[in-house]
């Protein structure tokens, strides 16, 4: 029997001593001013036990981790029709890259790069007004986490809007190919509000339970088990941009990162894990967050490639 409480505390201690912490995202002031020495870890077990350490209760900007929740909502709205507009292949490119869109006729490689998530937002706006889509997202993560206190940081959303030139380029480019139906400003406004969700490691790990437990939360079905498996597969293959292969190799669990320094990782049937450390590696993924997850799977043996897990 592994002593999870001791392992989580030990990892937080180990990470405190680390000096190679990566670089905090600097493209918007609200992210640039976050202290690089922050570190939080929360592990929610299948039986409901929660182990948390460090700054696990402090809300941070979940950024691209919101792409998991947006994808889940879009699949709920239009099902497999979504895949006519966005692919399911790793991009091997940066999260905000535009290069593949030209040769691939405006169809983004996957829903976890910016272009893909912008299409996902457009799909949601096919049925809802931006205000409704943002409200739906907020209700969804609150329901998943069982926590009414989750909010969207309007300062972050506004700063994203003010500096979103690349995202504007991606959206306009896809519109030129006919793969964006809505008004670019409204689609991006929705996308930026999703990125601006503020959650703590505890809230994020709780919100990830449906992916750990075959689409259920506390026995209540959110999505089918098949869909949960497939979202996990996409997280494994595409969740860390051009760093996804290395993440799968080192950690062996589905995961999704954000430039706020958070990572949501899922050990199916075992645990939902959230880690936060704002310093990023060259590919825009949390440097220490990945290291902490690597230590966690070394201690526990958790891996989707492990013949016997537990
Ligand atoms: N808000 C960021 C952007 O759109 C999200 C990217 C990320 O977290 N990787 O550029």
């Amino acid at each position: 029997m592994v002593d999870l409480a001791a392992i989580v505390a030990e990892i937080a201690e180990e990470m405190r001593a680390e000096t190679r912490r990566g670089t905090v995202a600097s493209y918007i002031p609200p992210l640039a001013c976050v202290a690089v020495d922050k570190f939080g870890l929360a592990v929610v077990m299948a039986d409901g036990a929660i182990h948390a350490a460090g700054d696990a209760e402090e809300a941070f900007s979940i950024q691209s981790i919101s792409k998991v929740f947006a994808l889940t909502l879009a699949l709920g709205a239009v099902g497999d029709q979504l895949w006519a507009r966005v692919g399911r292949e790793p991009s091997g490119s940066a999260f905000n890259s535009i290069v593949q869109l030209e040769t691939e006729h405006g169809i983004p490689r996957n829903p976890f790069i910016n272009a893909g998530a912008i299409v996902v937002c457009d799909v949601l706006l096919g049925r809802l007004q931006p205000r409704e889509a943002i409200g739906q997202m907020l209700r969804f993560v609150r329901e998943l986490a069982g926590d009414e206190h989750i909010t969207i940081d309007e300062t972050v959303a506004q700063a994203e809007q003010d500096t979103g030139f690349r995202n504007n380029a991606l959206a306009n480019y896809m519109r030129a190919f006919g793969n964006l139906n809505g008004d670019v400003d409204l689609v991006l406004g929705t996308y930026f509000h999703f990125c601006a969700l503020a959650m703590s490691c505890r809230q994020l790990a709780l919100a990830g339970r449906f992916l750990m437990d075959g689409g259920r939360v506390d026995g209540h079905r959110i999505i089918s088990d098949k869909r949960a498996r497939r979202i996990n597969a996409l997280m494994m293959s595409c969740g860390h941009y051009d760093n996804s292969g290395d993440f799968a190799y080192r950690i062996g669990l589905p995961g999704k990162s954000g430039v706020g320094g958070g990572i949501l990782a899922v050990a199916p049937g075992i645990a939902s894990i959230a880690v936060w450390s704002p310093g990023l590696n060259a590919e825009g993924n949390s440097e220490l967050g990945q290291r902490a997850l690597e230590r966690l799977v070394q201690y526990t043996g958790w891996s989707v490639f492990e013949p016997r897990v537990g």
Side-chain angles (χ1 to χ4, degrees):
M1 242 335 241
V2 287
D3 181 352
L4 246 301
I7 289 172
V8 166
E10 171 63 26
I11 292 172
E13 199 54 44
E14 285 177 23
M15 294 304 129
R16 222 186 309 278
E18 283 284 352
T19 48
R20 205 159 52 84
R21 306 185 86 93
T23 313
V24 176
S26 57
Y27 71 100
I28 50 171
L31 291 186
C33 70
V34 178
V36 74
D37 60 356
K38 294 284 182 188
F39 176 83
L41 175 62
V43 179
V44 177
M45 305 298 293
D47 68 4
I50 304 180
H51 306 287
D55 303 304
E57 313 295 337
E58 185 169 332
F60 61 90
S61 190
I62 74 163
Q63 291 289 328
S64 284
I65 303 170
S66 65
K67 294 176 167 82
V68 174
F69 304 116
L71 170 66
T72 307
L73 289 175
L75 286 171
V78 301
D80 284 343
Q81 285 175 43
L82 178 72
W83 304 121
R85 297 183 55 190
V86 57
R88 300 192 294 259
E89 292 294 344
S91 66
S93 302
F95 63 89
N96 54 8
S97 174
I98 200 167
V99 288
Q100 287 161 340
L101 281 180
E102 178 165 25
T103 49
E104 297 176 8
H105 309 289
I107 308 286
R109 276 284 173 100
N110 68 68
F112 294 154
I113 51 174
N114 286 14
I118 291 167
V119 168
V120 164
C121 285
D122 188 53
V123 166
L124 292 172
L125 295 187
R127 295 164 176 231
L128 300 171
Q129 294 301 312
R131 195 188 302 255
E132 294 169 334
I134 294 164
Q136 182 192 38
M137 170 63 87
L138 200 50
R139 279 195 305 281
F140 186 48
V141 293
R142 284 174 174 174
E143 181 196 358
L144 290 175
D147 190 330
E148 289 299 308
H149 297 101
I150 296 169
T151 56
I152 288 173
D153 186 333
E154 284 296 336
T155 316
V156 172
Q158 186 59 51
E160 297 279 350
Q161 192 101 42
D162 295 343
T163 59
F165 304 109
R166 263 178 179 267
N167 288 317
N168 265 282
L170 293 170
N172 279 294
Y173 204 46
M174 291 189 291
R175 200 167 203 303
F177 280 106
N179 196 21
L180 204 92
N181 303 321
D183 177 275
V184 165
D185 286 338
L186 296 182
V187 175
L188 287 179
T190 306
Y191 169 79
F192 293 141
H193 277 81
F194 290 177
C195 288
L197 273 163
M199 294 169 75
S200 67
C201 288
R202 175 187 295 266
Q203 289 167 333
L204 191 56
L206 284 166
R209 287 174 298 174
F210 75 111
L211 295 171
M212 158 182 67
D213 196 15
R216 288 177 304 252
V217 174
D218 292 335
H220 170 63
R221 183 156 296 287
I222 307 290
I223 56 172
S224 70
D225 55 351
K226 182 165 100 179
R227 185 161 288 165
R229 276 201 300 278
R230 288 175 157 179
I231 294 171
N232 278 322
L234 289 165
M235 288 169 72
M236 177 68 96
S237 55
C238 312
H240 285 76
Y241 320 113
D242 45 341
N243 198 205
S244 299
D246 193 54
F247 186 84
Y249 181 84
R250 287 168 55 197
I251 288 122
L253 299 175
K256 182 73 204 85
S257 68
V259 287
I263 302 175
L264 172 64
V266 181
I270 303 172
S272 172
I273 307 143
V275 63
W276 172 51
S277 171
L280 307 177
N281 66 12
E283 292 85 11
N285 304 309
S286 176
E287 176 87 42
L288 227 54
Q290 291 194 346
R291 199 108 37 85
L293 288 171
E294 200 170 15
R295 295 295 289 141
L296 182 67
V297 298
Q298 283 167 359
Y299 278 123
T300 58
W302 296 345
S303 164
V304 296
F305 304 110
E306 172 66 42
R308 283 181 304 109
V309 288

